[in-house]
Amino acid sequence: MKNELFNLIDKLEKEQSLTLGEYQKLIENYCSELALYSAEKARHSCEKHHGNKIFIRGLIEISSYCKNDCYYCGIRKGNKGCQRYRLTKEDILSCCKEGYALGFRTFVMQGGEDAYYSDEVLCEIIGEIKRLYPDCAVTLSLGERSRESYEALYKAGADRYLLRHETATKEHYEKLHPKALSFEERMRCLRDLKEIGYQVGCGFMVGSPYQTSKHLAADLKFIEEFSPHMCGIGPFITHKDTPFRNEKSGSADLTVFLLSLIRLIKPNILLPATTALGTVDGKGRERGVLSGANVVMPNLSPLSVRKKYMLYDNKIATGQESAQCVADLKESMKEIGYEVVTERGDFKNK
Ligand code: 5AD
C-alpha cells in the first residue's frame, strides 16, 4: 500500500491527473512521510515556474453585510451578533494608498453579498483605483452576481475574481447552504467569470461538516478540469454563532497535503497559504508555502473594522497594523528561504 501511494504521487507529478479513486486513496491513507514527499515535489514544481518568489495581495474587507445564510460563515445574515459595517470609496482608497506604499500591487476587495455595492458604486471605485494605481491588479471577491454585472466590473478594470466553489459535490453543497443558494448557480458564476476573461480563483474548505474523502477527490478533479488560475483552500473553522457551532474544525495537516496535490495538478497555479491555515496552526502559512503555496494575502482593512469581519473564530491579525503584518511576513518567509516580492503576480500560461 505504502509504495502504491508514493507511486501515485510520482504519477501525479508526471501526468498532472489521477482518477477520482486514486485521489480518494491518497486522501484516506496519507501519512506524514507521504506528505513530506509530496511537499518536496510540489515545491520543486512551484519553483520551476515561480522561483522562490511569494506574491502578496492586499486584502480589503469592504463589507460585513451579507444577504446569505451559509451555515458555516460568521457574517451570515442570521448572525445577530455580527457587527455590520461597510467601507466607503474613500476608506477603500486610503487602504490602497497604505498598501501601495507597503509594496502591494494587487488589491483584493472582498465582502459579503451586500446590495449597497451596485455595479455603479463598484465601477466607480474600481475605475478610481486603476486611475491612481495603473500598475496594480484589482481582484474582486464579492460573491455571486449576474453575468452582466461581472461584465460591467471587468470593463471597469477588474482583473481577477475569487469565488470559492466551496465543494464540487451538489449534495454536499446543499448541506452547507440554505435552499436559496444553488450549486448550479455557483457553477454558472464560475463559468461566466472565466468566459468574460477574468483570472479566476475557485476553492474549498478542508474539513467542512459532512465532507468525505470522496468529496475532496471530486474537488481535486474539479480543479483539474475547470483549470482555475488561482485556488484558495483553508481549513473550515468553527464559528460560535453559526449553525455549525458544535462542528469540529478542519486539520492543517490535511490542508497542506491537499495544497501539495493541487500544486502537482497545476504547476503554475497561484495558490495562497490562507489566513484560515495560519489560524489553525501558528506556522500554518509557512507550512503552506513549504507544501507548494506561493501567495499570501495580508489584511489591509482598517484596524477599526477588522474584528467585525469574523468569518470564523480566533482569526489572526485582527489587531495588528498592516505594516507590521507585512514586516513579519517578509521575515518569516525569509527564514524558510522565500522572498516576498512587489509584483502584480499575474497567472502565466507556460
Ligand atoms: N471557516 C473557514 N473558512 C470560511 N469561510 C467562510 N466561513 C468560514 C469558516 N467558518 C470561507 C469560505 C468563503 C471564504 C470567503 O471564506 O470558503 O468562500
Side-chain angles (χ1 to χ4, degrees), residues 60-98:
I60 309 172
E61 296 154 334
I62 68 170
S63 176
S64 67
Y65 285 90
C66 190
K67 69 171 171 57
N68 296 326
D69 242 337
C70 307
Y71 302 144
Y72 46 85
C73 184
I75 66 166
R76 66 198 300 271
K77 179 179 162 199
N79 179 8
K80 300 289 175 267
C82 172
Q83 295 184 52
R84 307 291 171 172
Y85 73 89
R86 55 173 69 98
L87 301 183
T88 62
K89 176 176 149 196
E90 289 67 36
D91 295 329
I92 296 169
L93 289 173
S94 94
C95 295
C96 295
K97 186 174 180 190
E98 182 182 4

Side-chain angles (χ1 to χ4, degrees), residues 72-73 110 164 166 205 235-237 311-312:
Y72 46 85
C73 184
Q110 182 176 92
R164 289 188 174 181
E166 310 297 359
M205 291 178 289
F236 159 74
I237 303 176
L311 303 180
Y312 44 79

Side-chain angles (χ1 to χ4, degrees), residues 39-259:
E40 209 168 288
K41 288 201 178 293
R43 268 199 323 263
H44 183 69
S45 147
C46 187
E47 277 163 25
K48 271 202 264 177
H49 290 270
H50 307 281
N52 71 336
K53 287 181 187 172
I54 299 295
F55 301 115
I56 50 171
R57 321 298 195 195
L59 185 65
I60 309 172
E61 296 154 334
I62 68 170
S63 176
S64 67
Y65 285 90
C66 190
K67 69 171 171 57
N68 296 326
D69 242 337
C70 307
Y71 302 144
Y72 46 85
C73 184
I75 66 166
R76 66 198 300 271
K77 179 179 162 199
N79 179 8
K80 300 289 175 267
C82 172
Q83 295 184 52
R84 307 291 171 172
Y85 73 89
R86 55 173 69 98
L87 301 183
T88 62
K89 176 176 149 196
E90 289 67 36
D91 295 329
I92 296 169
L93 289 173
S94 94
C95 295
C96 295
K97 186 174 180 190
E98 182 182 4
Y100 194 88
L102 290 170
F104 288 95
R105 295 297 178 266
T106 294
F107 301 117
V108 183
M109 285 195 268
Q110 182 176 92
E113 292 189 17
D114 177 357
Y116 167 84
Y117 295 94
S118 60
D119 293 348
E120 200 186 339
V121 169
L122 284 173
C123 287
E124 161 97 21
I125 299 172
I126 296 163
E128 194 63 7
I129 299 177
K130 293 298 268 194
R131 192 180 67 77
L132 291 167
Y133 308 103
D135 54 336
C136 291
V138 169
T139 303
L140 303 177
S141 177
L142 300 168
E144 298 180 11
R145 304 176 74 96
S146 66
R147 181 174 180 117
E148 295 67 38
S149 170
Y150 289 146
E151 278 167 351
L153 303 175
Y154 187 74
K155 254 205 197 132
D159 303 275
R160 310 181 186 141
Y161 206 103
L162 307 177
L163 183 74
R164 289 188 174 181
H165 62 286
E166 310 297 359
T167 169
T169 308
K170 180 175 154 69
E171 297 72 50
H172 185 217
Y173 193 91
E174 290 169 356
K175 291 192 166 145
L176 303 177
H177 303 95
K179 282 222 159 43
L181 294 167
S182 87
F183 178 71
E184 288 75 17
E185 182 63 3
R186 198 74 172 177
M187 291 293 156
R188 190 276 303 161
C189 290
L190 282 165
R191 267 195 314 273
D192 280 349
L193 288 162
K194 213 157 175 225
E195 280 173 20
I196 291 166
Y198 285 95
Q199 292 173 48
V200 179
C202 65
F204 58 93
M205 291 178 289
V206 179
S208 60
Y210 310 106
Q211 186 179 64
T212 64
S213 51
K214 216 172 174 170
H215 297 143
L216 286 169
D219 287 319
L220 295 177
K221 205 51 171 175
F222 174 71
I223 290 163
E224 239 188 55
E225 290 170 353
F226 180 65
S227 208
H229 307 89
M230 307 165 278
C231 180
I233 74 164
F236 159 74
I237 303 176
T238 315
H239 187 294
K240 61 182 188 347
D241 302 320
T242 63
F244 288 159
R245 64 178 61 83
N246 296 320
E247 303 288 336
K248 264 194 8 239
S249 292
S251 94
D253 288 349
L254 181 54
T255 304
V256 299
F257 180 56
L258 290 166
L259 282 172

